[in-house]
Short mmCIF file of all heavy atoms in Angstrom, two decimals:
data_model
loop_
_atom_site.label_atom_id
_atom_site.label_comp_id
_atom_site.label_asym_id
_atom_site.label_seq_id
_atom_site.Cartn_x
_atom_site.Cartn_y
_atom_site.Cartn_z
N MET V 267 37.97 -14.98 -2.72
CA MET V 267 36.90 -15.06 -1.70
C MET V 267 35.85 -13.99 -1.97
O MET V 267 36.17 -12.90 -2.39
CB MET V 267 37.48 -14.87 -0.30
CG MET V 267 38.32 -16.07 0.11
SD MET V 267 38.52 -16.14 1.88
CE MET V 267 39.51 -14.68 2.17
N THR V 268 34.65 -14.36 -1.67
CA THR V 268 33.56 -13.40 -1.88
C THR V 268 32.94 -13.00 -0.55
O THR V 268 32.80 -13.84 0.34
CB THR V 268 32.47 -14.00 -2.79
OG1 THR V 268 32.00 -15.21 -2.21
CG2 THR V 268 32.99 -14.26 -4.18
N GLU V 269 32.58 -11.76 -0.48
CA GLU V 269 31.90 -11.30 0.71
C GLU V 269 30.40 -11.34 0.49
O GLU V 269 29.93 -10.99 -0.59
CB GLU V 269 32.29 -9.85 1.03
CG GLU V 269 33.70 -9.74 1.58
CD GLU V 269 34.01 -8.31 1.97
OE1 GLU V 269 33.06 -7.55 2.21
OE2 GLU V 269 35.19 -7.97 2.01
N ALA V 270 29.68 -11.77 1.48
CA ALA V 270 28.22 -11.80 1.37
C ALA V 270 27.69 -10.38 1.46
O ALA V 270 27.96 -9.66 2.42
CB ALA V 270 27.62 -12.64 2.48
N ALA V 271 27.01 -9.98 0.43
CA ALA V 271 26.42 -8.64 0.45
C ALA V 271 25.24 -8.61 1.40
O ALA V 271 24.53 -9.61 1.57
CB ALA V 271 25.97 -8.26 -0.95
N ALA V 272 25.07 -7.48 2.02
CA ALA V 272 23.91 -7.32 2.90
C ALA V 272 22.64 -7.43 2.07
O ALA V 272 22.53 -6.83 1.01
CB ALA V 272 23.96 -5.99 3.61
N THR V 273 21.74 -8.23 2.56
CA THR V 273 20.49 -8.41 1.83
C THR V 273 19.54 -7.25 2.11
O THR V 273 19.19 -7.04 3.27
CB THR V 273 19.80 -9.72 2.24
OG1 THR V 273 20.70 -10.79 2.08
CG2 THR V 273 18.56 -9.97 1.39
N PRO V 274 19.21 -6.50 1.07
CA PRO V 274 18.29 -5.39 1.31
C PRO V 274 16.89 -5.89 1.59
O PRO V 274 16.46 -6.92 1.07
CB PRO V 274 18.33 -4.61 -0.01
CG PRO V 274 18.71 -5.64 -1.04
CD PRO V 274 19.58 -6.64 -0.32
N LEU V 275 16.20 -5.17 2.43
CA LEU V 275 14.81 -5.52 2.69
C LEU V 275 13.99 -5.26 1.44
O LEU V 275 14.19 -4.26 0.76
CB LEU V 275 14.25 -4.66 3.83
CG LEU V 275 14.75 -5.00 5.24
CD1 LEU V 275 14.27 -3.93 6.22
CD2 LEU V 275 14.25 -6.36 5.66
N PRO V 276 13.09 -6.19 1.12
CA PRO V 276 12.21 -5.94 -0.01
C PRO V 276 11.28 -4.77 0.30
O PRO V 276 10.87 -4.60 1.44
CB PRO V 276 11.43 -7.24 -0.17
CG PRO V 276 11.49 -7.89 1.17
CD PRO V 276 12.80 -7.45 1.78
N GLU V 277 10.99 -3.99 -0.72
CA GLU V 277 10.09 -2.86 -0.51
C GLU V 277 8.78 -3.11 -1.24
O GLU V 277 8.76 -3.64 -2.34
CB GLU V 277 10.72 -1.57 -1.04
CG GLU V 277 11.84 -1.07 -0.15
CD GLU V 277 12.35 0.28 -0.60
OE1 GLU V 277 12.17 0.62 -1.78
OE2 GLU V 277 12.90 1.00 0.24
N TYR V 278 7.71 -2.73 -0.59
CA TYR V 278 6.39 -2.87 -1.17
C TYR V 278 5.77 -1.49 -1.32
O TYR V 278 5.76 -0.73 -0.36
CB TYR V 278 5.50 -3.75 -0.29
CG TYR V 278 6.05 -5.13 -0.07
CD1 TYR V 278 7.00 -5.37 0.91
CD2 TYR V 278 5.63 -6.19 -0.87
CE1 TYR V 278 7.53 -6.63 1.10
CE2 TYR V 278 6.15 -7.46 -0.68
CZ TYR V 278 7.10 -7.67 0.30
OH TYR V 278 7.62 -8.92 0.49
N LYS V 279 5.30 -1.21 -2.49
CA LYS V 279 4.68 0.09 -2.70
C LYS V 279 3.27 0.09 -2.14
O LYS V 279 2.53 -0.87 -2.27
CB LYS V 279 4.61 0.41 -4.20
CG LYS V 279 5.92 0.94 -4.73
CD LYS V 279 5.75 1.55 -6.10
CE LYS V 279 5.44 0.50 -7.15
NZ LYS V 279 5.39 1.08 -8.52
N THR V 280 2.91 1.20 -1.51
CA THR V 280 1.53 1.34 -1.07
C THR V 280 0.70 1.94 -2.19
O THR V 280 1.23 2.53 -3.13
CB THR V 280 1.42 2.26 0.17
OG1 THR V 280 1.76 3.59 -0.21
CG2 THR V 280 2.34 1.80 1.27
N ALA V 281 -0.61 1.78 -2.05
CA ALA V 281 -1.51 2.34 -3.04
C ALA V 281 -1.46 3.86 -3.03
O ALA V 281 -1.88 4.50 -3.97
CB ALA V 281 -2.93 1.87 -2.77
N CYS V 282 -0.91 4.44 -1.97
CA CYS V 282 -0.88 5.90 -1.86
C CYS V 282 0.47 6.48 -2.25
O CYS V 282 0.73 7.65 -2.06
CB CYS V 282 -1.22 6.35 -0.44
SG CYS V 282 -1.96 5.13 0.60
N GLY V 283 1.37 5.64 -2.76
CA GLY V 283 2.63 6.17 -3.25
C GLY V 283 3.78 6.07 -2.26
O GLY V 283 4.88 6.50 -2.56
N GLY V 284 3.54 5.50 -1.10
CA GLY V 284 4.61 5.32 -0.13
C GLY V 284 5.26 3.95 -0.28
O GLY V 284 4.96 3.20 -1.21
N LYS V 285 6.18 3.64 0.61
CA LYS V 285 6.85 2.35 0.58
C LYS V 285 6.82 1.71 1.96
O LYS V 285 6.92 2.39 2.97
CB LYS V 285 8.31 2.52 0.13
CG LYS V 285 8.46 2.82 -1.34
CD LYS V 285 9.92 2.97 -1.69
CE LYS V 285 10.08 3.34 -3.17
NZ LYS V 285 11.50 3.63 -3.48
N LEU V 286 6.71 0.38 1.94
CA LEU V 286 6.70 -0.37 3.19
C LEU V 286 7.79 -1.42 3.14
O LEU V 286 8.10 -1.97 2.08
CB LEU V 286 5.36 -1.08 3.37
CG LEU V 286 4.09 -0.23 3.35
CD1 LEU V 286 2.87 -1.16 3.40
CD2 LEU V 286 4.05 0.71 4.52
N THR V 287 8.37 -1.73 4.27
CA THR V 287 9.30 -2.85 4.33
C THR V 287 8.75 -4.00 5.15
O THR V 287 9.30 -5.06 5.18
CB THR V 287 10.66 -2.41 4.92
OG1 THR V 287 10.43 -1.76 6.16
CG2 THR V 287 11.37 -1.45 3.97
N ALA V 288 7.64 -3.75 5.84
CA ALA V 288 6.99 -4.80 6.62
C ALA V 288 5.49 -4.78 6.36
O ALA V 288 4.72 -4.34 7.21
CB ALA V 288 7.28 -4.61 8.09
N PRO V 289 5.08 -5.22 5.17
CA PRO V 289 3.69 -5.08 4.76
C PRO V 289 2.70 -5.83 5.62
O PRO V 289 1.51 -5.49 5.64
CB PRO V 289 3.68 -5.60 3.32
CG PRO V 289 4.85 -6.51 3.25
CD PRO V 289 5.88 -5.91 4.15
N THR V 290 3.17 -6.84 6.34
CA THR V 290 2.24 -7.59 7.17
C THR V 290 1.69 -6.74 8.30
O THR V 290 0.69 -7.09 8.92
CB THR V 290 2.91 -8.84 7.76
OG1 THR V 290 4.11 -8.47 8.41
CG2 THR V 290 3.21 -9.85 6.68
N ASN V 291 2.34 -5.61 8.57
CA ASN V 291 1.85 -4.72 9.62
C ASN V 291 0.80 -3.74 9.11
O ASN V 291 0.29 -2.94 9.87
CB ASN V 291 3.01 -3.91 10.20
CG ASN V 291 4.00 -4.79 10.93
OD1 ASN V 291 3.66 -5.88 11.37
ND2 ASN V 291 5.22 -4.33 11.04
N TYR V 292 0.49 -3.83 7.81
CA TYR V 292 -0.41 -2.84 7.21
C TYR V 292 -1.57 -3.54 6.52
O TYR V 292 -1.45 -4.69 6.09
CB TYR V 292 0.37 -1.99 6.19
CG TYR V 292 1.43 -1.15 6.86
CD1 TYR V 292 2.70 -1.66 7.08
CD2 TYR V 292 1.15 0.15 7.29
CE1 TYR V 292 3.68 -0.89 7.71
CE2 TYR V 292 2.11 0.92 7.91
CZ TYR V 292 3.38 0.39 8.12
OH TYR V 292 4.33 1.15 8.74
N PRO V 293 -2.69 -2.82 6.37
CA PRO V 293 -3.82 -3.41 5.66
C PRO V 293 -3.52 -3.54 4.17
O PRO V 293 -2.71 -2.79 3.62
CB PRO V 293 -4.96 -2.40 5.91
CG PRO V 293 -4.29 -1.12 6.25
CD PRO V 293 -2.98 -1.48 6.89
N SER V 294 -4.17 -4.52 3.54
CA SER V 294 -3.97 -4.72 2.12
C SER V 294 -5.27 -5.18 1.49
O SER V 294 -6.20 -5.56 2.17
CB SER V 294 -2.86 -5.74 1.85
OG SER V 294 -3.25 -7.01 2.30
N ALA V 295 -5.31 -5.09 0.16
CA ALA V 295 -6.49 -5.54 -0.58
C ALA V 295 -6.04 -5.99 -1.96
O ALA V 295 -4.94 -5.67 -2.40
CB ALA V 295 -7.51 -4.41 -0.68
N MET V 296 -6.91 -6.75 -2.63
CA MET V 296 -6.60 -7.15 -3.99
C MET V 296 -7.20 -6.13 -4.96
O MET V 296 -8.34 -5.72 -4.82
CB MET V 296 -7.18 -8.54 -4.27
CG MET V 296 -6.54 -9.65 -3.45
SD MET V 296 -4.74 -9.79 -3.67
CE MET V 296 -4.69 -10.47 -5.35
N TYR V 297 -6.40 -5.74 -5.93
CA TYR V 297 -6.88 -4.82 -6.96
C TYR V 297 -6.38 -5.31 -8.31
O TYR V 297 -5.18 -5.40 -8.54
CB TYR V 297 -6.38 -3.40 -6.69
CG TYR V 297 -6.79 -2.41 -7.75
CD1 TYR V 297 -8.11 -1.96 -7.82
CD2 TYR V 297 -5.88 -1.94 -8.69
CE1 TYR V 297 -8.50 -1.06 -8.79
CE2 TYR V 297 -6.26 -1.03 -9.66
CZ TYR V 297 -7.57 -0.59 -9.71
OH TYR V 297 -7.95 0.29 -10.68
N ARG V 298 -7.30 -5.69 -9.18
CA ARG V 298 -6.96 -6.18 -10.52
C ARG V 298 -5.91 -7.29 -10.47
O ARG V 298 -4.95 -7.30 -11.24
CB ARG V 298 -6.50 -5.03 -11.40
CG ARG V 298 -7.58 -3.96 -11.50
CD ARG V 298 -7.30 -3.01 -12.62
NE ARG V 298 -8.38 -2.04 -12.73
CZ ARG V 298 -8.59 -1.28 -13.81
NH1 ARG V 298 -7.81 -1.38 -14.85
NH2 ARG V 298 -9.58 -0.43 -13.84
N GLY V 299 -6.09 -8.20 -9.52
CA GLY V 299 -5.22 -9.35 -9.46
C GLY V 299 -3.91 -9.13 -8.72
O GLY V 299 -3.11 -10.05 -8.61
N GLU V 300 -3.69 -7.91 -8.23
CA GLU V 300 -2.46 -7.66 -7.49
C GLU V 300 -2.78 -7.21 -6.08
O GLU V 300 -3.77 -6.52 -5.85
CB GLU V 300 -1.64 -6.56 -8.18
CG GLU V 300 -1.08 -6.99 -9.51
CD GLU V 300 -0.16 -5.93 -10.08
OE1 GLU V 300 0.43 -5.16 -9.31
OE2 GLU V 300 -0.06 -5.88 -11.32
N ARG V 301 -1.93 -7.59 -5.15
CA ARG V 301 -2.14 -7.15 -3.78
C ARG V 301 -1.54 -5.76 -3.61
O ARG V 301 -0.40 -5.52 -3.98
CB ARG V 301 -1.49 -8.13 -2.80
CG ARG V 301 -1.74 -7.75 -1.36
CD ARG V 301 -1.50 -8.93 -0.42
NE ARG V 301 -2.46 -10.02 -0.65
CZ ARG V 301 -3.68 -10.05 -0.12
NH1 ARG V 301 -4.09 -9.06 0.65
NH2 ARG V 301 -4.49 -11.04 -0.37
N VAL V 302 -2.34 -4.88 -3.09
CA VAL V 302 -1.87 -3.52 -2.85
C VAL V 302 -1.95 -3.23 -1.35
O VAL V 302 -2.82 -3.75 -0.65
CB VAL V 302 -2.69 -2.48 -3.64
CG1 VAL V 302 -2.46 -2.64 -5.13
CG2 VAL V 302 -4.18 -2.60 -3.33
N TYR V 303 -1.05 -2.41 -0.89
CA TYR V 303 -0.94 -2.12 0.54
C TYR V 303 -1.32 -0.68 0.82
O TYR V 303 -1.21 0.18 -0.05
CB TYR V 303 0.49 -2.39 1.02
CG TYR V 303 0.87 -3.84 0.88
CD1 TYR V 303 1.53 -4.29 -0.25
CD2 TYR V 303 0.55 -4.74 1.88
CE1 TYR V 303 1.87 -5.62 -0.40
CE2 TYR V 303 0.89 -6.08 1.75
CZ TYR V 303 1.55 -6.51 0.61
OH TYR V 303 1.87 -7.83 0.47
N PHE V 304 -1.75 -0.45 2.05
CA PHE V 304 -2.20 0.88 2.45
C PHE V 304 -1.48 1.28 3.73
O PHE V 304 -1.19 0.44 4.58
CB PHE V 304 -3.71 0.87 2.67
CG PHE V 304 -4.45 0.46 1.44
CD1 PHE V 304 -4.69 -0.87 1.19
CD2 PHE V 304 -4.85 1.40 0.51
CE1 PHE V 304 -5.34 -1.27 0.03
CE2 PHE V 304 -5.49 1.02 -0.65
CZ PHE V 304 -5.74 -0.32 -0.89
N CYS V 305 -1.23 2.58 3.86
CA CYS V 305 -0.48 3.03 5.03
C CYS V 305 -1.35 3.02 6.29
O CYS V 305 -0.82 2.89 7.39
CB CYS V 305 0.13 4.41 4.78
SG CYS V 305 -1.01 5.65 4.15
N THR V 306 -2.65 3.15 6.13
CA THR V 306 -3.53 3.12 7.29
C THR V 306 -4.83 2.40 6.93
O THR V 306 -5.16 2.23 5.75
CB THR V 306 -3.90 4.54 7.77
OG1 THR V 306 -4.68 5.17 6.76
CG2 THR V 306 -2.67 5.37 8.06
N ARG V 307 -5.59 2.04 7.95
CA ARG V 307 -6.91 1.44 7.70
C ARG V 307 -7.85 2.45 7.05
O ARG V 307 -8.74 2.08 6.29
CB ARG V 307 -7.52 0.95 9.02
CG ARG V 307 -6.76 -0.21 9.61
CD ARG V 307 -7.37 -0.61 10.94
NE ARG V 307 -8.69 -1.21 10.75
CZ ARG V 307 -8.90 -2.53 10.70
NH1 ARG V 307 -7.91 -3.36 10.86
NH2 ARG V 307 -10.11 -3.00 10.52
N ALA V 308 -7.66 3.72 7.37
CA ALA V 308 -8.49 4.75 6.77
C ALA V 308 -8.29 4.77 5.26
O ALA V 308 -9.22 4.93 4.48
CB ALA V 308 -8.17 6.11 7.37
N CYS V 309 -7.05 4.60 4.83
CA CYS V 309 -6.75 4.54 3.40
C CYS V 309 -7.48 3.36 2.75
O CYS V 309 -8.05 3.49 1.68
CB CYS V 309 -5.26 4.37 3.19
SG CYS V 309 -4.36 5.91 3.38
N LEU V 310 -7.43 2.21 3.41
CA LEU V 310 -8.09 1.03 2.89
C LEU V 310 -9.59 1.27 2.75
O LEU V 310 -10.20 0.89 1.75
CB LEU V 310 -7.83 -0.16 3.82
CG LEU V 310 -8.58 -1.45 3.47
CD1 LEU V 310 -8.20 -1.96 2.09
CD2 LEU V 310 -8.30 -2.52 4.51
N ARG V 311 -10.16 1.95 3.73
CA ARG V 311 -11.61 2.18 3.69
C ARG V 311 -11.97 3.09 2.52
O ARG V 311 -12.96 2.85 1.82
CB ARG V 311 -12.04 2.82 5.02
CG ARG V 311 -13.46 2.47 5.39
CD ARG V 311 -13.84 3.08 6.72
NE ARG V 311 -13.24 2.37 7.85
CZ ARG V 311 -13.17 2.87 9.08
NH1 ARG V 311 -13.62 4.07 9.33
NH2 ARG V 311 -12.65 2.17 10.04
N VAL V 312 -11.17 4.10 2.29
CA VAL V 312 -11.43 4.99 1.16
C VAL V 312 -11.27 4.23 -0.16
O VAL V 312 -12.07 4.37 -1.09
CB VAL V 312 -10.47 6.20 1.19
CG1 VAL V 312 -10.64 7.05 -0.06
CG2 VAL V 312 -10.75 7.03 2.43
N PHE V 313 -10.26 3.38 -0.22
CA PHE V 313 -10.04 2.57 -1.41
C PHE V 313 -11.25 1.69 -1.70
O PHE V 313 -11.72 1.60 -2.84
CB PHE V 313 -8.80 1.70 -1.20
CG PHE V 313 -8.65 0.58 -2.20
CD1 PHE V 313 -8.07 0.81 -3.44
CD2 PHE V 313 -9.10 -0.70 -1.89
CE1 PHE V 313 -7.94 -0.23 -4.36
CE2 PHE V 313 -8.97 -1.74 -2.80
CZ PHE V 313 -8.39 -1.49 -4.04
N GLU V 314 -11.78 1.03 -0.66
CA GLU V 314 -12.89 0.11 -0.85
C GLU V 314 -14.15 0.82 -1.35
O GLU V 314 -14.98 0.23 -2.02
CB GLU V 314 -13.19 -0.62 0.46
CG GLU V 314 -12.13 -1.68 0.76
CD GLU V 314 -12.35 -2.34 2.11
OE1 GLU V 314 -12.93 -1.70 3.00
OE2 GLU V 314 -11.92 -3.50 2.26
N GLN V 315 -14.27 2.09 -1.01
CA GLN V 315 -15.45 2.83 -1.47
C GLN V 315 -15.40 3.07 -2.97
O GLN V 315 -16.43 3.09 -3.64
CB GLN V 315 -15.55 4.15 -0.71
CG GLN V 315 -16.01 3.95 0.73
CD GLN V 315 -15.95 5.25 1.53
OE1 GLN V 315 -15.75 6.32 0.98
NE2 GLN V 315 -16.12 5.16 2.83
N ASP V 316 -14.21 3.27 -3.50
CA ASP V 316 -14.08 3.50 -4.94
C ASP V 316 -12.66 3.18 -5.41
O ASP V 316 -11.84 4.07 -5.58
CB ASP V 316 -14.43 4.96 -5.27
CG ASP V 316 -15.02 5.07 -6.67
OD1 ASP V 316 -14.59 4.30 -7.55
OD2 ASP V 316 -15.89 5.92 -6.86
N PRO V 317 -12.38 1.87 -5.58
CA PRO V 317 -11.02 1.43 -5.89
C PRO V 317 -10.41 2.10 -7.11
O PRO V 317 -9.26 2.51 -7.09
CB PRO V 317 -11.19 -0.08 -6.11
CG PRO V 317 -12.38 -0.46 -5.33
CD PRO V 317 -13.30 0.74 -5.40
N ASP V 318 -11.18 2.22 -8.18
CA ASP V 318 -10.62 2.78 -9.41
C ASP V 318 -10.21 4.23 -9.23
O ASP V 318 -9.13 4.65 -9.64
CB ASP V 318 -11.62 2.65 -10.56
CG ASP V 318 -11.74 1.21 -11.02
OD1 ASP V 318 -10.71 0.50 -11.04
OD2 ASP V 318 -12.86 0.79 -11.36
N LEU V 319 -11.07 5.01 -8.59
CA LEU V 319 -10.74 6.42 -8.38
C LEU V 319 -9.52 6.56 -7.48
O LEU V 319 -8.65 7.39 -7.72
CB LEU V 319 -11.93 7.16 -7.76
CG LEU V 319 -13.01 7.62 -8.72
CD1 LEU V 319 -14.07 8.42 -7.98
CD2 LEU V 319 -12.43 8.46 -9.86
N PHE V 320 -9.46 5.72 -6.46
CA PHE V 320 -8.33 5.79 -5.55
C PHE V 320 -7.03 5.48 -6.28
O PHE V 320 -6.03 6.18 -6.16
CB PHE V 320 -8.53 4.83 -4.38
CG PHE V 320 -7.55 5.05 -3.26
CD1 PHE V 320 -7.88 5.87 -2.19
CD2 PHE V 320 -6.32 4.43 -3.28
CE1 PHE V 320 -6.96 6.07 -1.16
CE2 PHE V 320 -5.40 4.63 -2.25
CZ PHE V 320 -5.73 5.45 -1.19
N MET V 321 -7.03 4.41 -7.08
CA MET V 321 -5.81 3.96 -7.74
C MET V 321 -5.36 4.90 -8.85
O MET V 321 -4.20 4.91 -9.22
CB MET V 321 -6.00 2.55 -8.28
CG MET V 321 -6.24 1.51 -7.20
SD MET V 321 -4.96 1.45 -5.92
CE MET V 321 -3.64 0.64 -6.84
N THR V 322 -6.29 5.66 -9.39
CA THR V 322 -5.89 6.62 -10.42
C THR V 322 -5.47 7.95 -9.81
O THR V 322 -5.13 8.87 -10.53
CB THR V 322 -7.02 6.85 -11.43
OG1 THR V 322 -8.21 7.22 -10.73
CG2 THR V 322 -7.28 5.61 -12.25
N GLY V 323 -5.52 8.04 -8.48
CA GLY V 323 -5.05 9.25 -7.83
C GLY V 323 -6.08 10.35 -7.74
O GLY V 323 -5.76 11.48 -7.40
N GLU V 324 -7.34 10.00 -8.05
CA GLU V 324 -8.39 11.01 -7.99
C GLU V 324 -8.80 11.32 -6.56
O GLU V 324 -9.38 12.34 -6.28
CB GLU V 324 -9.62 10.53 -8.77
CG GLU V 324 -9.38 10.38 -10.26
CD GLU V 324 -9.14 11.73 -10.92
OE1 GLU V 324 -9.83 12.70 -10.58
OE2 GLU V 324 -8.24 11.80 -11.79
N ILE V 325 -8.49 10.37 -5.66
CA ILE V 325 -8.84 10.57 -4.26
C ILE V 325 -7.55 10.59 -3.44
O ILE V 325 -6.73 9.69 -3.53
CB ILE V 325 -9.75 9.42 -3.75
CG1 ILE V 325 -11.03 9.37 -4.58
CG2 ILE V 325 -10.06 9.61 -2.28
CD1 ILE V 325 -11.93 8.21 -4.22
N GLU V 326 -7.40 11.62 -2.64
CA GLU V 326 -6.23 11.69 -1.79
C GLU V 326 -6.41 10.79 -0.58
O GLU V 326 -7.52 10.66 -0.06
CB GLU V 326 -6.00 13.12 -1.31
CG GLU V 326 -5.47 14.01 -2.42
CD GLU V 326 -5.03 15.36 -1.86
OE1 GLU V 326 -4.60 15.39 -0.70
OE2 GLU V 326 -5.15 16.34 -2.59
N HIS V 327 -5.33 10.20 -0.14
CA HIS V 327 -5.47 9.34 1.03
C HIS V 327 -5.67 10.21 2.28
O HIS V 327 -5.12 11.29 2.38
CB HIS V 327 -4.28 8.39 1.16
CG HIS V 327 -3.04 8.99 1.75
ND1 HIS V 327 -2.42 8.46 2.84
CD2 HIS V 327 -2.33 10.06 1.37
CE1 HIS V 327 -1.35 9.20 3.12
NE2 HIS V 327 -1.27 10.18 2.25
N PRO V 328 -6.49 9.72 3.19
CA PRO V 328 -6.85 10.50 4.36
C PRO V 328 -5.69 10.64 5.33
O PRO V 328 -4.79 9.82 5.37
CB PRO V 328 -7.99 9.71 4.99
CG PRO V 328 -7.75 8.31 4.54
CD PRO V 328 -7.14 8.41 3.17
N GLU V 329 -5.77 11.70 6.11
CA GLU V 329 -4.76 11.89 7.16
C GLU V 329 -4.93 10.83 8.24
O GLU V 329 -6.06 10.46 8.59
CB GLU V 329 -4.92 13.28 7.79
CG GLU V 329 -4.63 14.40 6.82
CD GLU V 329 -3.15 14.52 6.52
OE1 GLU V 329 -2.35 14.10 7.37
OE2 GLU V 329 -2.80 15.01 5.43
N ASP V 330 -3.83 10.36 8.78
CA ASP V 330 -3.90 9.40 9.85
C ASP V 330 -4.33 10.10 11.15
O ASP V 330 -3.90 11.18 11.44
CB ASP V 330 -2.54 8.74 10.05
CG ASP V 330 -2.64 7.53 10.96
OD1 ASP V 330 -3.76 7.08 11.24
OD2 ASP V 330 -1.59 7.05 11.39
N GLY V 331 -5.21 9.45 11.89
CA GLY V 331 -5.64 9.99 13.16
C GLY V 331 -6.66 11.09 13.05
O GLY V 331 -6.86 11.85 13.99
N GLY V 332 -7.32 11.17 11.89
CA GLY V 332 -8.28 12.25 11.70
C GLY V 332 -9.61 11.96 12.33
O GLY V 332 -9.97 10.92 12.72
ZN1 LIG Y 161 -2.35 6.24 2.48
#
């Protein structure tokens, strides 16, 4: 007999280096053909201003609630 293993929640990486398990609750954008997720709307806004710089880590993601 086999036991059903608990199904782990899929994890989605954010553009800022974090992880999400419920990406539909977070803003996202397309970058080079892939969907990327952001921890806050402020992060998304910074990304949209300069996607390449953001994705290469040249721009730090903003503090939430700033
Ligand atoms: Zn962020």
Side-chain angles (χ1 to χ4, degrees):
M267 290 200 293
T268 57
E269 287 184 22
T273 305
L275 287 171
E277 287 186 337
Y278 301 84
K279 279 194 291 185
T280 68
C282 345
K285 287 180 183 174
L286 304 174
T287 53
T290 53
N291 294 337
Y292 295 87
S294 66
M296 294 302 288
Y297 178 74
R298 301 195 177 197
E300 292 186 27
R301 183 162 294 277
V302 293
Y303 297 94
F304 301 87
C305 50
T306 66
R307 292 178 69 97
C309 281
L310 174 61
R311 210 178 285 164
V312 174
F313 166 84
E314 286 176 333
Q315 287 173 10
D316 210 326
D318 288 323
L319 278 184
F320 192 94
M321 297 304 286
T322 54
E324 295 293 319
I325 301 175
E326 287 190 31
H327 80 124
E329 295 288 334
D330 192 13

